[in-house]
Amino acid sequence: MRPIVLAVSLLLAAPLANARTIVHAGRLIDGRHPTVRTQVSIIVDEGKIVDVVDGFVAAPPGDEVIPLADHTVMPGLMDMHTHLAFQLSRESYSEEFFLNPTDYALRAAYFARKTLLAGFTTVRDLGDDGMTTVSLRNAIRKGFVEGPRIFTTGKAIATTGGHADPTSGWCQALHGDPGPLEGVINGPDDARKAVRQRYKDGVDLIKITATGGVLSLAASGDNAQFTDDELRALVQTAKDYGFTVAAHAHGAEGMKRAVNAGVNSIEHGTYMTDEIMKLMKKNGTYYVPTILAGVTVTEMAQQKDFLPEIVRPKAARIGPQIEGTFTRAYQSGVKIAFGTDAGVSPHGDNAREFELMVECGMPPMTAIRCATIEAARLLRVDDRLGSVEKGKIADLVAVVGDPTENIALMRDVKFVMKEGVVYKRDGRPVAR
């Protein structure tokens, strides 16, 4: 009897082992083509898209059909500028004296899940305490927590007193002398050591703060903060280790130096000039605009006692400029990838950026492509992410209606699949 029982068991298990998921998409934005396809079936097996065919195909026994006939299905969205371990609040400037690393880690896991459920299946995290998002990335990969696919810089690299110097604004007794280990450099040799330390930490890319910033406790929000020699050493060492380099930059001089040194993306880009735009187009440098961050800090600057007094004037001056810069950069043909600086704005509200991009003159389809195939190209993963195509990883999201007609629909993602696993369906998280 034992062989018979075993054979029956194997037959019963076979449909489950070979089960596929078939998504019936009423409309499909595939990330590649400029038009919306209608009535398409996306066939998913073992976390991959194995076929994309016209019409709603019937499901063989054992396969699951997900009916999304009244939805628009898209590739999983990608945010190229987040800070999952951070959320700006009135307490932000004091909480580092009270929170433990475990507090930051648990909070980051909560924000990661919010981000995933908002439809963002991949993010770049561009700066934390050094290890929080490295550990979070690993935990998500292992299935310990739910969240987007993370590409993280760990600790951003600054100069002494620069935008990412972790002790800027502290009292002299606490200043110390942070160095490459803490992401602070002075000179080319320090620059090389800082990149190598990030490699040792296990990061995915390098973030530098090429100019001053809005939220740091320092007077300037746009002064150049690296020498040409330091930038060349940073970028060359990063390339030696297979890293791309993202450069925070508001001011024109620091931005120009960073582009000339060969960074892969300019973040914020507030005072970008026509000359810099030409350089970026020549070098293939991406622009990650973070319009939402500009809008957010502008609003906060108007609230009494929300931001420190040294920060408020910078926020009021720099924040409103980003929208105009975005319009000019888009019209000039600079390559643009979607990014929000989430953490400055609330996590989970990332899709507000789409509305701002459209308000600033970008067509909805182009804005969606910035958060799909263009973001994948910036990450150098467009061979496996960023579009709905045979052979790609099965990251899919969907909204009810047509976002090319109403971009605000992007703020209400109803369906989220990452690597073939459904995390949100009918607008509700899937229980596990």
Side-chain angles (χ1 to χ4, degrees):
M1 289 294 292
R2 286 183 180 178
I4 295 174
V5 171
L6 179 59
V8 171
S9 299
L10 290 173
L11 286 171
L12 291 172
L16 295 176
N18 297 323
R20 303 176 303 170
T21 301
I22 302 175
V23 177
H24 286 170
R27 288 171 297 277
L28 173 65
I29 295 173
D30 65 12
R32 289 285 189 187
H33 300 99
T35 57
V36 180
R37 296 171 63 180
T38 57
Q39 293 197 349
V40 178
S41 294
I42 305 159
I43 303 171
V44 175
D45 189 22
E46 296 184 348
K48 295 287 187 69
I49 298 170
V50 297
D51 212 349
V52 181
V53 297
D54 291 330
F56 292 160
V57 301
D63 285 2
E64 178 189 11
V65 171
I66 298 178
L68 299 176
D70 59 345
H71 292 60
T72 298
V73 177
M74 295 164 277
L77 304 174
M78 309 172 81
D79 190 333
M80 295 296 96
H81 195 130
T82 67
H83 298 280
L84 290 170
F86 173 75
Q87 180 68 72
L88 185 60
S89 69
R90 294 181 186 274
E91 293 75 39
S92 293
Y93 290 90
S94 59
E95 65 186 13
E96 59 189 316
F97 297 102
F98 302 103
L99 297 184
N100 295 306
T102 45
D103 295 314
Y104 285 104
L106 290 168
R107 186 169 69 174
Y110 170 74
F111 291 144
R113 186 171 186 268
K114 286 189 69 174
T115 302
L116 176 64
L117 294 178
F120 289 83
T121 58
T122 302
V123 301
R124 283 195 314 177
D125 192 285
L126 295 191
D128 63 7
D129 62 352
M131 291 303 297
T132 295
T133 51
V134 170
S135 296
L136 178 61
R137 176 200 66 195
N138 296 342
I140 291 170
R141 285 178 180 173
K142 294 174 182 177
F144 297 156
V145 296
E146 295 180 355
R149 184 179 298 101
I150 296 174
F151 294 81
T152 180
T153 66
K155 176 67 180 66
I157 298 175
T159 52
T160 295
H163 181 54
D165 182 331
T167 64
S168 286
W170 291 8
C171 70
Q172 191 171 14
L174 297 176
H175 270 173
D177 187 20
L181 179 65
E182 296 82 15
V184 179
I185 68 108
N186 290 282
D189 286 341
D190 272 3
R192 297 183 185 98
K193 185 173 183 179
V195 172
R196 290 165 180 157
Q197 180 63 48
R198 308 284 87 74
Y199 173 77
K200 183 177 180 179
D201 291 343
V203 306
D204 302 293
L205 69 152
I206 299 298
K207 159 81 173 294
I208 65 171
T209 54
T211 75
V214 171
L215 296 180
S216 50
L217 295 170
S220 177
D222 57 352
N223 64 320
Q225 296 193 336
F226 288 90
T227 66
D228 289 326
D229 286 347
E230 290 168 338
L231 286 165
R232 282 193 293 268
L234 282 164
V235 173
Q236 183 56 59
T237 308
K239 290 182 178 179
D240 288 346
Y241 284 83
F243 292 135
T244 58
V245 180
H248 156 105
H250 289 295
E253 178 58 31
M255 201 182 314
K256 180 179 176 181
R257 293 180 193 179
V259 173
N260 279 327
V263 301
N264 300 91
S265 68
I266 292 294
E267 314 295 312
H268 318 302
T270 308
Y271 294 108
M272 189 184 297
T273 64
D274 291 343
E275 179 190 10
I276 293 170
M277 291 178 193
K278 290 178 182 178
L279 282 172
M280 291 175 70
K281 288 191 289 183
K282 177 183 176 182
N283 292 357
T285 314
Y286 268 89
Y287 172 39
V288 181
T290 69
I291 309 170
L292 181 55
V295 170
T296 301
V297 298
T298 301
E299 293 171 352
M300 290 175 175
Q302 297 168 359
Q303 301 179 42
K304 185 178 180 181
D305 300 328
F306 192 102
L307 297 172
E309 283 307 308
I310 197 170
V311 172
R312 283 184 68 190
K314 293 188 293 178
R317 183 177 68 254
I318 292 173
Q321 303 296 322
I322 295 178
E323 293 174 79
T325 302
F326 173 84
T327 299
R328 291 189 298 107
Y330 168 62
Q331 291 174 345
S332 75
V334 172
K335 294 195 295 185
I336 296 175
F338 182 101
T340 62
D341 210 357
V344 174
S345 56
H347 293 285
D349 288 353
N350 312 56
R352 280 186 63 198
E353 184 83 11
F354 287 112
E355 295 172 57
L356 295 168
M357 295 167 83
V358 172
E359 287 174 11
C360 292
M362 179 176 276
M365 179 66 84
T366 305
I368 293 168
R369 285 172 56 87
C370 287
T372 52
I373 192 64
E374 291 299 334
R377 287 168 178 157
L378 172 57
L379 279 172
R380 298 179 177 175
V381 295
D382 53 302
D383 60 330
R384 55 190 186 275
L385 289 168
S387 60
V388 181
E389 296 180 271
K390 183 177 180 179
K392 293 287 187 79
I393 294 172
D395 280 17
L396 303 172
V397 301
V399 300
V400 175
D402 186 351
T404 65
E405 298 293 332
N406 179 10
I407 195 64
L409 295 175
M410 299 298 291
R411 293 173 68 176
D412 191 16
V413 169
K414 300 293 188 183
F415 174 82
V416 177
M417 173 187 283
K418 177 187 162 205
E419 295 182 21
V421 177
V422 177
Y423 290 90
K424 190 176 186 180
R425 190 168 182 173
D426 300 324
R428 294 185 296 273
V430 174
R432 303 196 180 282

